[in-house]
Amino acid sequence: MNLPRELPPEKCLDLLSAGVVGRVAVCTPDGPRIVPVNYAVVRGAVVFRTDPGSVLGQRRWPELLAFEVDHLDYERHRGWSVVAVGTGECVEDPDTLDVIRRDWEPRPWAGGERPLHIRLAWTELSGRQLGGPWSSTEEMPVRRTV
């Protein structure tokens, strides 16, 4: 039987930091919403950009969020998932924005402007993995290039 196993926090951080696309979960007056975003991990927080008119852009910050990134291997019936939970805030401080841009600014794939930077400093980071064995290159969600 193929049972899921909990990932240690260090492994969760490694996998989260290697990703490019994840999903933000937020509660709205119309119910829960899940929004795919391009993201980066900058100094211990998930950072993504959004449009002021979007579901995420219209939130009243700070707000509780969940963020999830995963990798699935359908052929081998294996995968992993990492979830970060914490308070999201709109980043407006010019010095903090400079740090984000220097470290690794998220690069949205969607067209249009995405001028709002949202930072999720997690208070919970957890993950699970199913199947194996995994090599370090197989489990990475993406290979980043600069």
Side-chain angles (χ1 to χ4, degrees):
M1 179 173 257
N2 203 4
L3 296 175
R5 61 187 175 280
E6 297 296 316
L7 294 172
E10 308 80 38
K11 187 63 169 180
C12 291
L13 180 57
D14 287 346
L15 294 171
L16 179 66
S17 298
V20 173
V21 176
R23 287 160 298 285
V24 178
V26 62
C27 290
T28 73
D30 298 324
R33 298 290 181 260
I34 298 175
V35 181
V37 296
N38 296 92
Y39 75 98
V41 174
V42 179
R43 302 194 181 187
V46 172
V47 177
F48 59 91
R49 292 168 44 193
T50 192
D51 180 89
S54 70
V55 168
L56 294 170
Q58 293 182 10
R59 309 307 313 145
R60 290 196 173 165
W61 303 105
E63 183 155 332
L64 189 60
L65 300 175
F67 181 85
E68 191 244 359
V69 63
D70 58 26
H71 178 66
L72 302 172
D73 180 339
Y74 296 103
E75 184 178 331
R76 295 183 179 133
H77 299 191
R78 63 184 185 169
W80 57 260
S81 176
V82 172
V83 176
V85 177
T87 301
E89 63 182 358
C90 187
V91 179
E92 297 174 315
D93 175 63
D95 292 336
T96 304
L97 289 169
D98 284 344
V99 167
I100 291 168
R101 290 181 179 117
R102 274 195 316 269
D103 282 7
W104 190 278
E105 179 158 28
R107 299 175 186 145
W109 294 351
E113 293 294 315
R114 302 283 185 268
L116 293 181
H117 287 72
I118 307 300
R119 180 179 183 272
L120 168 59
W122 61 79
T123 54
E124 297 175 41
L125 187 62
S126 62
R128 294 174 22 148
Q129 187 177 61
L130 181 66
W134 292 81
S135 72
S136 59
T137 56
E138 286 177 320
E139 73 183 356
M140 288 295 120
V142 69
R143 290 185 190 91
R144 287 189 181 200
T145 58
V146 179

